[in-house]
Amino acid sequence: HPLHAKSIEQFRQLNPDISFVLFDRADRDDYMEKNWSDHPILDVYQRALVGQMQADIFRYCIVFDRGGYYFDYNKGCSVPLHTLHPADSDGLVTAESNLSLVFPKNEAATALSHPTNLHAQWGFGFRAKHPLLHIAIERIVEIEPFFRDKEFPVPKEAVLAMTATGLFTDSLRTYVSKNG
């Protein structure tokens, strides 16, 4: 869509020091098959009934492997990414304005700037092999059986819980509780 193309161009202009890689569904599927065939996350990815779930899993896996930033093409950021963190940072996350229904453990609550909020997984950055992304990938594999073959009145809520914002927020809180 032309509006998406415009937002991508603006995002690139704000971040001329960053290379951009776009994946379509075929590229995404190929990447997962080549790089995650020995991990149970590939089976979860391949059986996902909702495209957003595959996109969520893919973003965790590719940033875990390569490091870098991930942003949904319809989101972006209005300032250069390097201005949001010191150069030696291991990761970049952002709190959403939405409140979480579950408050984190004290260890995470005291370390997070916004402990009552959900955290966005539509835009983040990490160094390669960051443990937070490993936690997210392993947690998806762990909880997937609880979602398998179930019908949900509001499927979006199941997606948010299993692979999207809820899962990412939980993984972030787990990481921060253990590592500060």
Side-chain angles (χ1 to χ4, degrees):
H1 189 275
L3 293 178
H4 292 179
K6 183 179 178 183
S7 68
I8 289 170
E9 184 57 34
Q10 289 171 339
F11 193 51
R12 285 180 170 180
Q13 288 175 1
L14 278 173
N15 297 284
D17 55 328
I18 296 174
S19 61
F20 289 76
V21 181
L22 301 175
F23 286 80
D24 64 17
R25 183 180 306 263
D27 293 333
R28 194 178 68 194
D29 292 348
D30 186 55
Y31 180 87
M32 291 298 294
E33 184 70 39
K34 286 181 180 175
N35 294 280
W36 289 86
S37 61
D38 61 344
H39 193 284
I41 195 68
L42 178 62
D43 181 56
V44 176
Y45 172 86
Q46 290 174 331
R47 287 185 300 100
L49 299 177
V50 179
Q52 180 186 339
M53 296 171 82
Q54 288 182 321
D56 294 339
I57 292 168
F58 169 74
R59 76 185 63 166
Y60 300 137
C61 291
I62 194 165
V63 176
F64 178 78
D65 286 341
R66 296 182 176 181
Y69 299 102
Y70 173 90
F71 277 83
D72 280 356
Y73 65 87
N74 62 344
K75 301 286 193 240
C77 184
S78 61
V79 299
L81 294 175
H82 74 271
T83 65
L84 299 174
H85 61 83
D88 62 349
S89 290
D90 286 343
L92 170 68
V93 296
T94 187
E96 291 192 352
S97 58
N98 303 329
L99 294 180
S100 173
L101 297 177
V102 178
F103 193 76
K105 293 180 181 178
N106 290 349
E107 298 85 7
T110 57
L112 292 169
S113 300
H114 301 282
T116 58
N117 295 63
L118 293 170
H119 285 78
Q121 49 73 265
W122 49 257
F124 58 71
F126 291 101
R127 67 168 165 78
K129 309 299 183 208
H130 195 283
L132 189 152
L133 297 173
H134 183 260
I135 291 167
I137 293 164
E138 296 300 320
R139 184 72 173 142
I140 291 169
V141 170
E142 178 185 354
I143 66 174
E144 184 271 339
F146 296 98
F147 292 82
R148 188 182 310 152
D149 300 324
K150 305 274 189 321
E151 289 188 28
F152 294 90
V154 183
K156 180 180 179 181
E157 292 174 356
V159 172
L160 292 172
M162 185 180 150
T163 63
T165 308
L167 178 279
F168 187 74
T169 299
D170 180 64
S171 299
L172 173 66
R173 289 173 173 182
T174 298
Y175 173 79
V176 170
S177 289
K178 292 179 182 176
N179 302 290

